[in-house]
Amino acid sequence: MTQSRISRLYQHSLEERAQIIAQAGEVPPETLRPWQQNGGLTAEQADHMIENVLGTHALPLGIALNFQVNGRDVLVPMAIEEPSVVAGASFMAKLARAGGGFFASADAPEMIGQIQILDLADAPAARLKIYERREELLAAAAEVDPVLQRLGGGPRDLHVRLLEHPATGPFLVVHLIYDVRDAMGANAINTACERLAPQLEAITGGRAHLRILSNLADRRLARARCTLPVEALAFEGFSGEEVRDGIVAAWAFAAADPYRAATHNKGIMNGVDAVVIATGNDWRAVEAGAHAWAARNGRYTTLSSWGVDAQGNLTGALEMPLAVGTVGGATRAHPAAQAALQLMGVRTAAELAEVIVSVGLAQNLAALRALATEGIQRGHMSLHARQVAIAAGARGEEIDRLAAQLATEGVVRIDRARAILQSWKSSPKE
Ligand code: MEV
């Protein structure tokens, strides 16, 4: 069983960290090798993925610790260039453990494909004609992908919407609901939409125009919740109650104001995207779905919610569309994505979504806790100072000591870090 509680991982060398993580995650050390080799994707492999390839573009890959999702410890790989994100998620996951960790669920992997039908003589009647042939259309859609069908996926339902715009007049939009199992599903659903289009033209007498999935994957939601005992929130000069109420007030700001909600949700996506990218999934699709969902009632608002339970504990929840897969596309083709999925021990797309939404909630908590108390810069600078101390050559206890001195001086630079280290070596008592 994976053990995600590991203390002071940052104090170890890169090589040691990989050994510790492989052991804690119960995977062979070779599994993690792609991350130790410039992101694990060769230029030749990249050449098969996109066009006009010159090489690859690497991002830092860190492991978020302490996560417990539905009672299971998970080590979470995060690909992100921004400092403090991995540490923030890890720290909040540690606090959340006191309340049992994260409890998460995910809907069936149902995607929506859209087929737009133009040039209709009688759009309302054409809409009804499609419904009359629903079973026949679903049967035709089922034949498109026999493999998916065998795995238990395939078409689930069909809805027809009548829309209108001055540029086109009335038109129909057929929604094909398609269970894509453990894939993100864009290819499966797009193929099915393209195949159904001629049949829809024949039924309606209209012209099928766009045939494409919707990234507002609102039938494929993932949700996570956590409870933080109020005493676990106290730190330095702040009582647990102050931190708790500060977090709720920060959330209320986002709930009431789209300007703040955009930043609040960006903090959530710091966590979500980092895992989506690490697993080779399409983060633009997830971003598009998240923000469209956040505006679903006509006004952009927060994806998460924070409150207080009857015992005075802080409670948090996050619910959002999460169209991610564990098979197909880069999840299979990218060696580093395979490493990520193996380390997490997720078998299905739903399990992956449950981990991702938990990380999003943890990340949101990290940002709100900092903003509601000491501000975001202090933690950021002290982490940065620690990284600079390590880069300058500090080891063991020197790291925290040097980081503290850099932070106190307010000069967090490698040249200064090296100078301090040097001065300690020449006069050890300093
Ligand atoms: C920075 O990347 C993310 C935050 O701005 C999120 C927030 O304000 O909630 C700190």
Side-chain angles (χ1 to χ4, degrees):
M1 289 246 288
T2 293
Q3 175 53 258
S4 69
R5 287 212 65 176
I6 301 169
S7 61
R8 300 194 165 255
L9 183 68
Y10 65 89
Q11 289 191 348
H12 293 272
S13 68
L14 289 169
E15 194 56 45
E16 287 165 356
R17 279 181 220 159
Q19 283 164 14
I20 293 168
I21 292 295
Q23 206 168 11
E26 296 193 321
V27 293
E30 311 83 75
T31 306
L32 312 185
R33 201 129 301 147
W35 294 325
Q36 296 163 301
Q37 294 166 344
N38 293 332
L41 192 68
T42 64
E44 288 70 30
Q45 285 165 319
D47 199 21
H48 297 300
M49 292 172 78
I50 64 161
E51 307 75 40
N52 300 344
V53 165
L54 296 189
T56 58
H57 171 100
L59 279 177
L61 188 291
I63 305 293
L65 306 174
N66 306 319
F67 272 88
Q68 195 172 37
V69 179
N70 294 335
R72 186 176 79 87
D73 271 27
V74 200
L75 288 161
V76 188
M78 301 179 79
I80 186 159
E81 84 299 343
E82 184 173 327
S84 306
V85 169
V86 177
S90 302
F91 187 31
M92 293 309 116
K94 189 167 152 189
L95 295 189
R97 284 180 89 98
F102 297 90
F103 299 91
S105 60
D107 290 339
E110 289 180 0
M111 296 295 283
I112 299 168
Q114 298 191 294
I115 305 154
Q116 179 190 25
I117 304 178
L118 298 169
D119 303 341
L120 293 158
D122 183 349
R127 179 172 169 271
L128 298 186
K129 284 182 189 167
I130 296 174
Y131 275 120
E132 287 156 24
R133 310 277 287 274
R134 182 197 233 146
E135 296 311 318
E136 183 188 321
L137 286 160
L138 289 175
E143 280 170 22
V144 174
D145 193 333
V147 177
L148 198 57
Q149 193 72 17
R150 256 201 316 280
L151 291 169
R156 292 287 184 259
D157 207 354
L158 199 136
H159 304 289
V160 197
R161 300 161 62 213
L162 175 56
L163 302 182
E164 183 149 9
H165 191 276
T168 55
F171 61 94
L172 294 182
V173 178
V174 179
H175 276 198
L176 175 64
I177 313 300
Y178 209 80
D179 184 318
V180 296
R181 300 282 89 195
D182 291 320
M184 183 274 184
N187 280 330
I189 187 79
N190 291 342
T191 307
C193 287
E194 291 192 2
R195 291 280 188 84
L196 277 197
Q199 223 165 319
L200 288 165
E201 286 180 333
I203 293 169
T204 60
R207 174 170 63 91
H209 193 46
L210 298 198
R211 295 146 297 165
I212 186 75
L213 91 169
S214 169
N215 285 123
L216 177 48
D218 61 1
R219 301 178 67 96
R220 202 178 183 180
L221 301 180
R223 45 194 86 74
R225 65 180 173 86
C226 63
T227 301
L228 288 105
V230 68
E231 56 281 1
L233 293 169
F235 75 103
E236 294 183 2
F238 299 98
S239 71
E241 286 77 9
E242 274 175 313
V243 178
R244 177 198 66 196
D245 296 345
I247 289 170
V248 174
W251 164 75
F253 180 6
D257 176 24
Y259 285 92
R260 172 59 204 152
T263 325
H264 176 103
N265 290 343
K266 191 272 183 184
I268 292 172
M269 300 313 284
N270 275 345
V272 168
D273 283 344
V275 190
V276 170
I277 293 170
T279 54
N281 274 289
D282 181 345
W283 76 94
R284 289 86 55 211
V286 172
E287 282 279 343
H291 298 293
W293 170 253
R296 67 193 176 283
N297 294 325
R299 191 173 63 84
Y300 187 88
T301 188
T302 155
L303 291 165
S304 64
S305 59
W306 292 95
V308 182
D309 71 10
Q311 288 73 43
N313 300 315
L314 177 70
T315 58
L318 172 61
E319 184 169 36
M320 60 183 285
L322 257 176
V324 290
T326 52
V327 297
T331 54
R332 273 284 153 86
H334 199 309
Q338 279 296 302
L341 292 172
Q342 281 176 40
L343 181 63
M344 277 193 277
V346 291
R347 291 177 310 267
T348 63
E351 280 176 8
L352 175 59
E354 287 167 3
V355 174
I356 295 174
V357 72
S358 302
V359 177
L361 185 58
Q363 208 69 59
N364 184 216
L365 176 62
L368 297 190
R369 175 182 172 276
L371 289 167
T373 56
E374 59 190 11
I376 209 79
Q377 282 309 92
R378 191 174 151 220
H380 192 87
M381 283 321 278
S382 67
L383 269 177
H384 181 51
R386 203 184 270 161
Q387 282 162 0
V388 169
I390 294 169
R395 290 292 171 264
E397 288 175 357
E398 282 174 348
I399 298 170
D400 284 344
R401 188 174 159 217
L402 180 54
Q405 180 154 345
L406 291 171
T408 309
E409 288 181 9
V411 185
V412 187
R413 281 203 325 258
I414 190 137
D415 56 334
R416 180 64 193 137
R418 285 198 184 114
I420 297 170
L421 264 183
Q422 194 53 44
S423 72
W424 288 349
K425 287 196 177 106
S426 36
S427 59
K429 277 197 221 74
E430 193 194 329

